[in-house]
Structure formats: structure tokens, C-alpha cells
Amino acid sequence: MIWNLEYESMSRPRLEELQLKRLKKTINRVYERVPFYRDKMTAAGVKPDDIRGLDDLKYLPFTTKQDLRDNYPFGLFAVPMDEVVRIHASSGTTGKMTVVGYTRNDLKVWAQVMARTFAAAGGTSYDRIQVAYGYGLFTGGLGAHYGAEMLGATVVPISGGNTKRQLQIMRDFKVTMLACTPSYALYMAETAEEEGIDLHEFPLKAGVFGAEPWSEQMRAQIEAKMGIKAIDIYGLSEVIGPGVASECLEQNGLHINEDHFIIEVIDPETGERLPDGEKGELVFTSLTKEAFPIVRYRTRDISLLYSEACACGRTLKRMNRILGRTDDMLIIRGVNVFPTQIENVLLEIGEVEPQYLLVVDRKGNLDELEIWVEISEKLFSDEVRKLEDLEHRIKNEIISTLGISARIKLVEPKTIPRSEGKAKRVVDKRDLYSS
Ligand code: DLL
């Protein structure tokens, strides 16, 4: 079923007309209400009236995660706080979070695009949807929740964790759709196997999985182990959360909700726009958001666009699954982690050398993070108790700032390989982006 038939299957000329009207409104709005945008546009010599066609978007400056950090927490909001009814946040590069806000209407739009997502995965009001994305500042849980409610489905808002209970509820409540990260879906499948539970006997038919990179092999595994259709869904907090783009049952590219977001693909080196079919960095501009409009946001995600028609009837352009990133952001158990955040924690604790290595692996479908930290000769020959205490403090500090647990391995000076160029801080053993 196509949830917003009119908007999801518009002709290109009508869609572009709508996009232009909305783009002009958004640009006027940010120019008038957000000093950051006005200053950047002034510096670039552009005024809202210069935006006469969709192609003129290219004259506007990009917005980056650094800009969001510089305006932490609410500096880019375009409405007074009494109109903001919800805040979400995700981790930034060096400790400061990226904070986004929603008006009542923004929440409605978000629920609409998420209802589209579930409908595109075959969902209807007869479905029971288990939302096992995390609830909280992360956009996954609440984003999926309101979308599923908008669809009229029965929502099971279980959030993440407690896998055996997830399986029990899935069986007892006769859940038909699952929403979580793909790695958690695989972990659930594996736990089911261990418990002697056959998921093929459950009425589960589909899952909407995203928030982290995954591959076609992983899709095949999930589908075989769970007996479901595994649908890829993409989004990011800065743009709205989940609901930016999602696959239909054709499973051949993710339809972008272009009536709400304009997508561009750029060469990450030159910033030049690339034609459909060429691989580059995704850049988004919101068209309807009120509290946190965003103009030409550089996602650092790499993909490409297809403009051929899709057999499902939707005319919205599709993007390929995410093929990589242009920066060093890791996604560990669904949490965005920048190596610099870990570096900051280590520096604040002191007592350790500024030499560290992050080793990320996936064991039994669960991500594991090991942090190797060099300590001084003197400390290394110290009492074991002191070393254990240091290990504990680092572990706790990582949990409280990043929300993930890590194994800490204190190593002797000069153990971590030095590099002649850029320091290599990460060894990622998961093969995430191969298809
Ligand atoms: O992860 C929003 C989301 C929630 C999407 C639930 C899908 C499902 P952030 O925490 O801001 O928002 O992280 C955004 O996650 O820039 C990508 O690098 C990555 N990402 C999200 N979806 C996918 C996907 C949410 N389907 C960042 N494939 C993005 C690959 C994804 N990477």
C-alpha cells in the first residue's frame, strides 16, 4: 500500500513545483529567523530572492556537523522554545551532542514519513509492530513509534535489550513486524536458535532495519533466519530521524521522501554536484520542517541515486544502500561514535599516553569495542590494583559519555603501531559496507 498516494507518486514536474515552493519558504524562514544562516548567506553573497529555481540551491553554503556544534544546543532553531514540543540528540564529534527540535507540526510530518516507511514494507493497520529501536534521545524508537501509530498498527514499544523477553513478547502478542537495527535483528535470530525457538512459526512477516550500515549478505541471513522481508530504512537526526528514505517491497533502492527533503550528491572533495548514478556524499535540505530547518546538510554518508521508475508505483527517486562514510564515524550497537570522543575521555582521565587504538568486531552479531590504551612505563610496573582501578575508571567514563560499554586493554608503552602519516586509530573487523 502507498500511504500518501498523491505525494509518493507525483509526476516529476508537479513534484519539482512543490519542492521549489517549499524551498523558497524554507530559505526565507532561515534567513529571517536564524542568524547563522543569514550570516552564511550574506558571506556567500546570496539573498533568498536569488533562489528562483531548484538548481539555484547550489549557490547556498553547506551546513556541517561542526556548525551544529558551534550553535549548541538550540542556536539553529527557527521557532521560539514554546513552540518546540520535542528534543532529540545524537553524538557529535567531540563530546558535544547534535541537538534537534520539533514543533507539533514537525512531529506530524515525521509520523507521516514513518507511516510511509511501514506501509512500503507491507504494513497496515492490522499489523502488530514491535519497536525495538532505543527510546530516548535517539530518534529510532519514538520515530518508529509515532509512524506505526499513524499507520493505525498496534505498537509494542519494547525498546532495545532483554532479548529473551523480546522473543517471548513477539510470540505471545503475535507480532507481525519488527523495527530495530539489523545487527540486533540478527542477534535476536541467533538467540532464538539457541533457545530452540523456530521464528518461521511466528507470524512475523517483515522488519524495517536501519540506523547502521549493513550489507546484502546480512539481509540474506536475516531473511533466512527469521523468514521475513528485511527492509532497509535510512535517516539521520539532523534531517528528521528515520523516515528520510526507505525501501519498498522491491528491495531495490530506498525511496527518498522528496516532498519533504531535497537530496543532492556531491563530490566530497570539491563540493560539486554529481549526476544521478555517480557515487558521492549525500546532502539534504529540509522543505517542511519548522523548528529545525536544515539547508544543504553534509551527511558524510556515501551513496548514489537512481532515477529510473520503480515497479511499486512510487515516483520518488531512490538512493542506493549506504556505501560508506567520508569521515571516521563508527556505529557501534547503533550508537554513533567518533574516535575523538574516546580520545577526549582518555585525555580527561589523564595518566595515560595519547596513544590508543579502537578495535571493533562483531561476535555473534553483537558489536564489541575494545580500547587499547598505552600507559607509562612507571604505571605499567605499578600494583595490579592500581591498573584495575584505572581500567574501571576509563570503562565507566566511556559508558557515561558515550552510552556504550567497551573492554579496556592497558598496554605497555610503544605497543600500538605508530604511523608515519595520519595515525590509525581504528581497526574495524566488521565487513560492513560490502554488498
Ligand atoms: O540513526 C536515524 C535512524 C533510526 C535511521 C532508525 C534508521 C532507523 P542518527 O543517530 O543521527 O540517526 O545516525 C545517522 O546513521 O548518517 C548513517 O551514517 C547511519 N545510518 C542510518 N540509517 C542507515 C542505513 C539515525 N539504513 C547515521 N544504512 C547516518 C547505513 C545508516 N547507515
Side-chain angles (χ1 to χ4, degrees):
M1 184 190 54
I2 299 184
W3 179 251
N4 290 135
L5 186 64
E6 184 191 347
Y7 291 95
E8 293 179 75
S9 57
M10 260 185 181
S11 69
R12 198 47 36 191
R14 272 199 62 213
L15 176 68
E16 289 184 353
E17 198 183 310
L18 178 73
Q19 285 184 318
L20 181 60
K21 196 174 100 200
R22 291 179 166 178
L23 176 66
K24 285 181 175 171
K25 204 169 150 190
T26 296
I27 300 304
N28 269 303
R29 185 180 184 87
V30 297
Y31 189 83
E32 277 161 23
R33 298 180 177 216
V34 188
F36 161 82
Y37 283 112
R38 187 170 42 241
D39 294 348
K40 269 193 112 166
M41 283 173 64
T42 306
V46 209
K47 285 231 150 53
D49 285 349
D50 295 332
I51 306 301
R52 298 199 191 96
L54 285 176
D55 203 40
D56 296 334
L57 185 59
K58 63 171 184 266
Y59 300 121
L60 294 169
F62 292 117
T63 306
T64 63
K65 215 175 193 41
Q66 182 63 35
D67 294 325
L68 267 64
R69 269 193 68 213
D70 294 345
N71 291 282
Y72 175 87
F74 307 138
L76 296 186
F77 285 15
V79 295
M81 285 310 278
D82 67 328
E83 289 177 38
V84 175
V85 298
R86 176 94 67 77
I87 298 283
H88 281 284
S90 75
S91 41
T93 45
T94 48
K96 264 190 197 165
M97 286 186 293
T98 299
V99 183
V100 297
Y102 302 76
T103 61
R104 217 174 278 285
N105 196 57
D106 292 335
L107 290 184
K108 235 184 253 166
V109 169
W110 192 14
Q112 285 289 355
V113 289
M114 278 309 288
R116 289 182 189 182
T117 296
F118 285 112
T124 68
S125 62
Y126 294 99
D127 281 296
R128 296 176 192 174
I129 303 181
Q130 185 155 336
V131 179
Y133 283 115
Y135 279 65
L137 285 176
F138 174 54
T139 51
L142 286 165
H145 182 103
Y146 282 88
E149 273 188 8
M150 171 76 75
L151 181 72
T154 309
V155 183
V156 183
I158 188 164
S159 195
N162 206 340
T163 310
K164 286 184 192 161
R165 189 158 143 265
Q166 297 264 2
L167 291 167
Q168 188 189 344
I169 282 181
M170 197 183 278
R171 174 171 49 206
D172 295 349
F173 296 2
K174 300 194 169 51
V175 166
T176 55
M177 293 179 92
L178 174 64
C180 63
T181 59
S183 57
Y184 192 51
L186 260 187
Y187 182 70
M188 270 188 203
E190 197 181 60
T191 309
E193 274 170 20
E194 280 165 18
E195 297 290 305
I197 298 168
D198 184 3
L199 288 173
H200 292 85
E201 287 173 1
F202 286 28
L204 199 65
K205 65 175 187 192
V208 293
F209 305 128
E212 63 183 12
W214 54 312
S215 57
E216 280 305 323
Q217 283 110 306
M218 225 172 132
R219 172 170 9 229
Q221 276 187 28
I222 297 175
E223 294 194 331
K225 285 179 191 285
M226 295 192 136
I228 62 171
K229 277 265 192 187
I231 296 295
D232 191 8
I233 73 168
Y234 169 83
L236 59 164
S237 323
E238 294 87 335
V239 178
I240 202 163
V244 176
S246 53
E247 282 183 333
C248 58
L249 289 169
E250 299 293 321
Q251 295 175 305
N252 183 19
L254 293 80
H255 289 279
I256 302 139
N257 286 310
E258 291 178 282
D259 50 332
H260 295 290
F261 315 104
I262 291 184
I263 190 168
E264 297 170 89
V265 177
I266 62 159
D267 176 332
E269 301 294 323
T270 63
E272 290 297 312
R273 200 185 283 177
L274 297 173
D276 288 358
E278 279 189 37
K279 211 160 91 173
E281 180 181 341
L282 302 181
V283 170
F284 285 99
T285 300
S286 70
L287 294 176
T288 49
K289 283 210 302 175
E290 295 175 341
F292 189 83
I294 189 121
V295 178
R296 302 199 86 199
Y297 184 67
R298 292 189 62 158
T299 61
R300 303 280 173 196
D301 290 322
I302 297 170
S303 183
L304 52 95
L305 303 180
Y306 323 131
S307 41
E308 303 84 47
C310 180
C312 73
R314 288 175 186 79
T315 52
L316 299 172
K317 223 180 237 186
R318 285 167 291 156
M319 57 181 241
N320 197 83
R321 68 163 61 252
I322 299 293
L323 297 165
R325 288 196 48 93
T326 65
D327 64 7
D328 55 1
M329 185 179 91
L330 298 160
I331 304 184
I332 301 173
R333 298 197 190 184
V335 179
N336 302 353
V337 176
F338 289 91
T340 45
Q341 286 176 296
I342 291 175
E343 182 172 317
N344 275 3
V345 169
L346 297 175
L347 290 176
E348 266 166 37
I349 286 183
E351 299 175 53
V352 294
E353 304 290 315
Q355 292 292 348
Y356 66 94
L357 185 71
L358 311 181
V359 183
V360 194
D361 205 351
R362 188 163 276 176
K363 298 229 173 86
N365 298 312
L366 267 193
D367 293 334
E368 283 186 358
L369 170 64
E370 191 171 82
I371 307 177
W372 295 24
V373 192
E374 276 187 17
I375 54 173
S376 65
E377 201 81 64
K378 183 178 161 301
L379 201 61
F380 203 79
S381 48
D382 230 323
E383 298 162 49
V384 176
R385 197 180 46 80
K386 265 197 182 159
L387 293 181
E388 280 176 355
D389 172 63
L390 180 59
E391 241 175 59
H392 260 99
R393 271 188 291 144
I394 299 176
K395 195 175 166 71
N396 289 340
E397 205 49 41
I398 297 283
I399 292 184
S400 74
T401 49
L402 293 168
I404 51 167
S405 73
R407 194 146 16 100
I408 311 298
K409 190 168 153 185
L410 299 179
V411 296
E412 275 183 82
K414 313 229 161 38
T415 317
I416 295 173
R418 306 295 195 259
S419 122
E420 287 181 0
K422 245 168 137 92
K424 187 165 169 54
R425 300 292 190 201
V426 180
V427 175
D428 198 337
K429 297 182 177 166
R430 308 168 297 176
D431 193 15
L432 294 179
Y433 292 105
S434 66
S435 62

